[in-house]
């Protein structure tokens, strides 16, 4: 345990103006407050806050943060009150201790909802003051270092998993590489000790076999740089077992020599020297193409800056090198904590800090749009584990996105409205599909249209939480609007069937009966199929129940006869995933007679009037709904017609089939061979067409094709 005098000396070593009195008082206060409490190790409890404070001095944090480290468990675990802390140590410390305490209360909840909720609070707390997170991370680090003392194996795993999934990525996000490495390694040894042992055994084996090449490489690099007149320190650091393991897992690569897993660092004084040193190294050793990255001109989103390159060394081994200034090096190790070293520095650092917190704000924004905490956690984890891809707007603004991001993600990153209205994208000057994966350095121009709306299919390929939550939100609202429209038409129709006027008073009666707040809510419930039109009418006119029943069953019969009259509900603008669906069994097309079947919670499914599937609804007329196509001939929609085609088994017949369809402006969107014999193939072809007439044309053209022996609409 660090003694009182040592702790104060450590702080004084980097901050001569530190408030020694406060440090001494906090040290004594922690010991008194925790009294005889014990840790799982059998040590006195107060050793823990003192070690945490020690870790914080290692990051050279300001006095208030060190005092907070000493006091961080007093509110939670002792009789101490926040008011006492405020009186004795001032408002700043009280606020920090309060933040850390709130987080501690949330820890170790195994179920996903609670874990996500905790994470949300963690973000909120740190967006107020990032030092809360720094204390929390130091606390977690000490708990991980002493994790082996905890007897309950289940609890150990839980803590280790939380460390791996939340705290290590957070440490990385704020640029604290050293913290991230140690947390990961400690969690790794709990979660997968065998994997860790095997990596370490491999390292030992290589060291034994060929000796340690690292000192020789360092010497060589130092000599080369010195001869060119550049003053530099060269460091070599073996990668952590966990990062080696996860690289082997994800990229499916092994390592053959120790130099494969060592990152060498050339640390110089000034930024210009980084580029000079790079030139010298590239002059002396052959560089490996495709491995060069300049994070000085384009820093990572967590603020990390360095030049990365890989060269072929004297023993023809690949050497990975990072070139950076001392300041960049410090930032790479301590990240955001660096800002608290020099509290009285001005503007320049603060601006960088602002950018630092941008991702916290972005996460909070996602949070506001996410429907539940699980959805939020899913985004956050995904985002934190992804690498970054850098792309540019036509004006040259940099947009950093997770790897795998598409133009849709890009559009939402620029602005939600750009995302909502994007129809296409030009990547490096050429039109590309919206699902295209962006590459580093791509210039992306988003094409927008006022009539466009987000498509539910986008959700399948976007990778940013921001885009996904906006799309989901849009669909939720859109679907609700469709349910309301549909429900209103259904209720309106029901009123006309029993010859009642569609006015407020009876509608309100029905609304009250079903306990809905607004008429829209009532309509949405009808559109969704939770309440039937008949139930609404019965609630609106309780006195005329019998008459209603008669009229409604007549209506059901009429719907089944397919004579959609002026009472029919209009069908247009079909979007997959919305309130109205086209049945997969019969694929009805505009121009054909259709009927709707209401399904609870799913809205309406549209069938062709002669579809066999309708048999099973014969006895439930209240689920039938009169519907009619309502397509604007100027803006035809794309619908899918399914054909069963029998073709002769000869070379080139499939080719002529697709040719005929293409010539008639149909687009094949799916094709499946259902049976084959020596002479014939039977295939199912899904063709995108405007309407039934369009499909009939294609059928006729196919029948005129020699290779085709028969064509029919497929009605499963
Ligand atoms: Mn603690």
């Amino acid at each position: 345990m660090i003694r009182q005098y040592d702790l104060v000396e450590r702080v004084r070593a980097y901050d001569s103006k530190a408030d020694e009195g406060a440090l001494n008082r906090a040290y004594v206060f922690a010991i008194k407050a925790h009294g005889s409490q014990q840790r799982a190790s059998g040590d006195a409890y107060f050793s823990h806050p003192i070690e945490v404070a020690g870790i914080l001095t290692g990051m050279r944090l300001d006095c208030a943060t060190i005092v907070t480290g000493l006091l961080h468990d007093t509110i939670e675990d002792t009789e101490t009150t926040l008011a006492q802390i405020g009186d004795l140590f001032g408002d700043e410390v009280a606020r920090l201790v309060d933040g850390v305490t709130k987080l501690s209360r949330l820890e170790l909840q195994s179920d996903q909802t609670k874990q996500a909720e905790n994470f949300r609070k963690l973000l909120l707390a740190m967006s107020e003051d990032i030092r809360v997170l720094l204390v929390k991370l130091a606390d977690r680090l000490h708990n991980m270092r002493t994790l082996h003392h905890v007897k309950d194996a289940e609890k150990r795993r839980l803590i280790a998993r939380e460390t791996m999934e939340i705290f290590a990525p957070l440490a990385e996000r704020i640029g604290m590489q050293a913290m991230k490495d140690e947390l990961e390694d400690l969690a790794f040894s709990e979660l997968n000790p065998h994997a860790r042992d095997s990596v370490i055994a491999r390292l030992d084996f290589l060291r034994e076999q060929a000796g340690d090449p690292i000192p020789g490489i360092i010497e060589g690099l130092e000599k080369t740089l010195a001869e060119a007149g550049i003053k530099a320190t060269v460091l070599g650091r073996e990668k952590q077992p966990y990062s080696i393991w996860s690289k082997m897992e994800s990229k499916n690569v092994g390592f053959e020599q120790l130099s494969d897993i060592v990152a060498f660092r050339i640390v110089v004084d000034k930024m210009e020297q980084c580029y000079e040193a790079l030139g010298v190294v590239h002059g002396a050793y052959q560089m490996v193409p495709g491995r060069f990255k300049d994070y000085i001109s384009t820093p990572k989103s967590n603020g990390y800056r360095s030049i990365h390159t890989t060269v072929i060394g004297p023993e023809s081994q690949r050497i990975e090198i990072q070139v950076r200034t001392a300041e960049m090096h410090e930032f790479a190790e301590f990240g955001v904590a660096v800002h608290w070293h020099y509290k009285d520095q001005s503007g320049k650092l603060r601006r960088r800090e602002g950018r630092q917190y941008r991702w916290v704000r972005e996460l909070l924004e996602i949070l506001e749009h996410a429907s539940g905490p699980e959805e939020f956690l899913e985004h956050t984890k995904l985002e934190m584990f992804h690498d970054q891809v850098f792309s540019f707007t036509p004006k040259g603004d940099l947009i950093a996105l997770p790897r795998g991001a598409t133009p849709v993600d890009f559009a939402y990153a620029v602005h939600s409205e750009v995302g909502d209205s994007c129809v296409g994208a030009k990547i490096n000057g050429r039109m590309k599909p919206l699902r295209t994966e962006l590459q580093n350095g791509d210039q992306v121009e988003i094409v927008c249209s006022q009539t466009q709306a987000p498509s539910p299919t986008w959700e399948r390929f976007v990778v940013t939480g921001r885009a996904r939550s906006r799309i989901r939100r849009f669909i939720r609202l859109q679907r609700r609007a469709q349910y309301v429209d549909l429900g209103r038409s259904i209720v309106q129709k029901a009123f006309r069937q029993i010859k009642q006027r569609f006015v407020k008073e009876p509608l309100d009666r029905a609304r009250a009966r079903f306990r809905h707040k607004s008429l829209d809510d009532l309509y949405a419930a009808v559109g969704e199929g939770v309440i039937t039109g008949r139930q609404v009418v019965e609630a609106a006119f309780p006195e005329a129940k019998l008459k209603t029943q008669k009229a409604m069953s007549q209506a059901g019969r009429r719907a089944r006869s397919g004579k959609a009259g002026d009472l029919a509900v209009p069908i247009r603008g079909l979007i997959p995933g919305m309130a109205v669906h086209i049945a997969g069994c019969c694929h009805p097309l505009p121009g054909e007679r259709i009927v709707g079947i209401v399904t609870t919670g799913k809205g309406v499914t549209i069938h062709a009037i002669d579809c066999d599937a309708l048999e099973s609804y014969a006895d439930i007329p209240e689920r039938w709904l009169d519907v009619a196509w309502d397509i604007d001939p100027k803006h035809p929609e794309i619908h899918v017609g399914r054909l069963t085609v029998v073709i002769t088994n000869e070379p080139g017949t499939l080719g002529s089939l697709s040719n005929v369809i293409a010539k008639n402006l149909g687009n094949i969107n799916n094709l499946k061979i259902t049976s084959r014999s020596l002479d014939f193939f039977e295939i199912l072809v899904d063709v995108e067409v405007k309407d039934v007439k369009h499909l009939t044309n294609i059928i006729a053209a196919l029948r005129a094709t020699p290779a085709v022996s028969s064509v029919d609409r497929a009605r499963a």
Side-chain angles (χ1 to χ4, degrees):
M1 195 178 86
I2 306 165
R3 285 173 309 162
Q4 189 170 343
Y5 171 80
D6 287 338
L7 186 74
V8 175
E9 273 311 296
R10 282 197 202 180
V11 180
R12 280 180 53 86
Y14 60 80
D15 181 5
S16 54
K17 289 184 228 127
D19 183 351
E20 270 183 61
L23 288 168
N24 283 320
R25 275 184 289 128
Y27 191 101
V28 175
F29 189 92
I31 292 181
K32 276 204 188 134
H34 290 291
S36 58
Q37 290 172 354
Q38 280 192 345
R39 297 270 291 171
S41 58
D43 287 344
Y45 193 93
F46 55 72
S47 65
H48 165 67
I50 290 169
E51 290 300 332
V52 169
I55 292 170
L56 293 166
T57 62
M59 303 177 206
R60 298 168 48 197
L61 290 170
D62 67 324
C63 196
T65 312
I66 309 296
V67 170
T68 303
L70 289 167
L71 303 175
H72 80 271
D73 277 333
T74 53
I75 304 276
E76 185 66 7
D77 297 340
T78 76
E79 307 282 292
T80 311
T81 65
L82 199 59
Q84 265 175 296
I85 302 258
D87 286 346
L88 289 168
F89 300 98
D91 286 348
E92 188 185 12
V93 169
R95 209 166 20 79
L96 291 170
V97 171
D98 188 37
V100 180
T101 306
K102 281 185 182 140
L103 295 183
S104 305
R105 292 203 177 127
L106 303 165
E107 260 172 302
L108 288 185
Q109 314 260 16
S110 55
D111 89 80
Q112 277 253 308
T113 316
K114 282 192 188 139
Q115 206 194 13
E117 182 57 21
N118 294 349
F119 192 62
R120 189 181 79 92
K121 298 211 169 124
L122 184 70
L123 285 173
L124 280 169
M126 55 194 247
S127 65
E128 302 271 306
D129 193 326
I130 200 86
R131 288 177 295 175
V132 169
L133 177 66
L134 299 179
V135 176
K136 195 66 227 162
L137 286 172
D139 175 43
R140 177 52 63 121
L141 182 60
H142 184 248
N143 286 336
M144 286 302 294
R145 283 178 183 168
T146 52
L147 186 66
H148 55 279
H149 292 300
V150 175
K151 295 233 166 46
D152 181 351
E154 189 48 39
K155 194 173 168 198
R156 282 203 310 270
R157 285 190 73 80
L158 203 59
I159 297 175
R161 212 177 310 127
E162 198 181 52
T163 301
M164 195 64 110
E165 289 180 351
I166 294 192
F167 289 96
L170 276 176
E172 182 176 27
R173 251 301 160 81
I174 56 173
M176 305 184 71
Q177 192 59 37
M179 171 73 81
K180 178 207 159 220
D181 283 348
E182 190 176 350
L183 285 175
E184 261 177 5
D185 195 43
L186 290 164
F188 188 40
S189 66
E190 178 61 42
L191 295 172
N192 201 345
H194 301 300
R196 185 170 179 273
D197 288 349
S198 68
V199 171
I200 291 170
R202 172 96 178 125
L203 294 174
D204 288 344
F205 169 78
L206 288 171
R207 219 170 270 127
E208 237 168 68
Q209 222 189 16
D212 190 345
I214 295 166
I217 293 173
I218 291 179
E219 209 177 297
L221 284 170
E222 270 175 345
K223 206 171 133 227
T224 311
L225 288 165
E227 278 166 8
I230 296 172
K231 204 173 126 254
T233 315
V234 181
L235 309 163
R237 195 163 148 280
E238 240 171 51
K239 287 179 187 158
Q240 292 290 311
Y242 179 71
S243 77
I244 297 172
W245 172 257
S246 54
K247 199 173 235 173
M248 290 198 301
E249 241 186 353
S250 66
K251 294 198 179 145
N252 204 9
V253 293
F255 55 102
E256 283 165 24
Q257 38 194 8
L258 279 175
S259 55
D260 289 350
I261 45 98
V262 177
F264 292 90
R265 274 140 200 189
I266 298 177
V267 182
V268 294
D269 280 341
K270 295 198 197 98
M271 193 177 83
E272 306 82 73
Q273 293 171 325
C274 291
Y275 293 97
E276 286 170 32
L278 180 76
V280 169
V281 170
H282 279 180
Y285 303 102
Q286 191 195 333
M287 82 175 273
V288 178
R291 298 295 302 265
F292 175 77
K293 285 187 198 107
D294 185 351
Y295 292 121
I296 291 181
S297 68
T298 308
K300 288 192 186 184
S301 66
N302 66 8
Y304 174 86
R305 292 188 299 161
S306 274
I307 296 170
H308 290 192
T309 188
T310 302
V311 297
I312 306 291
E315 313 282 326
S316 46
Q317 72 278 58
R318 286 157 77 102
I319 307 176
E320 219 181 286
I321 299 173
Q322 297 158 5
V323 191
R324 48 174 78 155
T325 64
E327 192 201 340
M328 293 171 194
H329 183 61
E330 195 178 17
F331 190 85
E333 295 292 306
F334 297 117
V336 108
V338 167
H339 300 314
W340 297 95
H341 294 184
Y342 318 104
K343 274 197 90 179
D344 47 5
Q345 265 208 5
S346 56
K348 212 173 113 201
L349 273 180
R350 278 207 209 104
R351 253 209 312 284
R352 230 202 288 158
E353 216 173 316
R355 199 171 56 206
Q356 206 76 51
Y357 293 137
R358 209 182 101 175
W359 65 274
V360 177
R361 287 202 305 274
E362 280 169 3
L363 285 179
L364 286 167
E365 194 183 313
I366 292 171
L367 180 71
E368 276 154 24
H369 294 304
S371 65
E374 296 89 349
E375 190 181 317
F376 173 64
L377 191 63
E378 180 198 332
H379 302 326
T380 325
K381 274 191 194 164
L382 277 178
E383 291 210 337
M384 288 197 297
F385 285 128
H386 268 95
D387 271 328
Q388 301 262 307
V389 54
F390 295 101
S391 44
F392 296 88
T393 66
K395 280 185 193 155
D397 288 340
L398 179 69
I399 304 282
L401 293 164
R403 189 159 295 286
T406 62
V408 176
D409 294 296
F410 183 95
Y412 276 106
V414 172
H415 197 282
S416 336
E417 273 170 26
V418 177
D420 283 348
S421 61
C422 73
V423 283
K426 267 188 191 169
I427 300 176
N428 303 324
R430 299 182 64 172
M431 280 307 285
K432 291 277 172 142
L434 285 174
R435 61 171 65 239
T436 311
E437 203 174 291
L438 296 179
Q439 303 297 321
N440 267 324
D442 277 350
Q443 180 187 302
V444 186
E445 186 182 343
I446 298 296
V447 184
C448 290
S449 153
Q450 283 322 309
T451 58
Q452 174 68 10
S455 157
T457 57
W458 291 356
E459 212 193 309
R460 284 184 225 141
F461 57 77
V462 296
V463 301
T464 52
R466 196 186 157 99
R468 188 167 303 143
S469 69
R470 285 290 305 196
I471 296 166
R472 281 192 191 167
R473 193 178 106 95
F474 180 86
I475 295 169
R476 268 198 298 275
L477 294 176
Q478 184 82 356
R479 186 181 289 153
R480 155 130 177 137
Q482 284 202 0
Y483 278 141
V484 169
D485 277 353
L486 191 63
R488 190 187 301 109
S489 304
I490 292 172
V491 174
Q492 216 162 7
K493 188 186 87 167
F495 269 57
R496 278 147 83 181
Q497 276 163 350
I498 60 158
K499 305 205 165 48
Q500 290 289 351
R501 281 175 53 216
F502 188 67
V503 287
K504 191 167 182 311
E505 191 213 335
L507 283 169
D508 266 334
R509 234 182 345 255
R511 179 192 55 75
R513 159 81 179 68
F514 291 104
R515 292 166 207 234
H516 280 299
K517 282 209 189 77
S518 69
L519 279 178
D520 275 0
D521 287 346
L522 177 73
Y523 296 147
V526 175
E528 219 178 318
V530 179
I531 312 174
T532 64
R534 177 174 172 171
Q535 284 173 310
V536 174
V537 170
E538 281 173 8
F541 306 102
E543 66 286 352
K545 197 168 174 191
L546 250 178
K547 200 176 122 200
T548 311
Q549 276 173 0
K550 241 168 89 189
M552 296 301 288
S553 41
Q554 256 174 16
R557 272 200 299 281
R558 214 183 29 242
R560 280 156 60 186
S561 73
K563 286 182 200 135
D566 58 341
L567 295 177
V569 173
I571 298 299
R572 67 148 60 150
L574 291 166
I575 304 173
M578 293 291 179
V580 179
H581 319 266
I582 292 290
C585 43
C586 50
H587 294 277
L589 295 170
E592 288 186 289
R593 276 191 181 169
I594 46 174
V595 69
I597 295 292
V598 181
T599 313
T600 311
K602 284 193 189 151
V604 175
T605 308
I606 307 298
H607 290 269
I609 197 70
D610 58 350
C611 178
D612 289 343
L614 291 173
E615 273 308 304
S616 50
Y617 302 99
D619 298 333
I620 18 181
E622 64 274 15
R623 306 248 318 252
W624 293 64
L625 183 68
D626 263 346
V627 289
W629 294 107
D630 179 25
I631 306 275
D632 179 355
K634 274 187 223 134
H635 300 101
E637 294 169 6
I638 289 172
H639 289 262
V640 175
R642 177 169 288 184
L643 302 176
T644 307
V645 185
V646 178
I647 54 174
T648 51
N649 183 0
E650 274 164 30
T653 47
L654 260 182
S656 53
L657 171 93
S658 57
N659 251 332
V660 171
I661 292 175
K663 260 191 203 142
N664 287 278
L665 305 178
N667 184 31
I668 298 180
N669 87 359
N670 201 1
L671 193 143
K672 189 175 145 206
I673 298 181
T674 49
S675 75
R676 63 169 76 187
S677 67
L678 218 50
D679 307 324
F680 295 102
F681 279 156
E682 187 184 283
I683 49 183
L684 277 182
V685 189
D686 288 347
V687 191
E688 291 174 354
V689 291
K690 284 191 309 228
D691 52 23
V692 68
K693 206 170 147 228
H694 188 184
L695 188 68
T696 319
N697 274 339
I698 291 174
I699 292 175
L702 285 173
R703 285 186 178 143
T705 308
V708 174
S709 86
S710 76
V711 188
D712 290 287
R713 288 289 292 279
R715 292 263 152 102

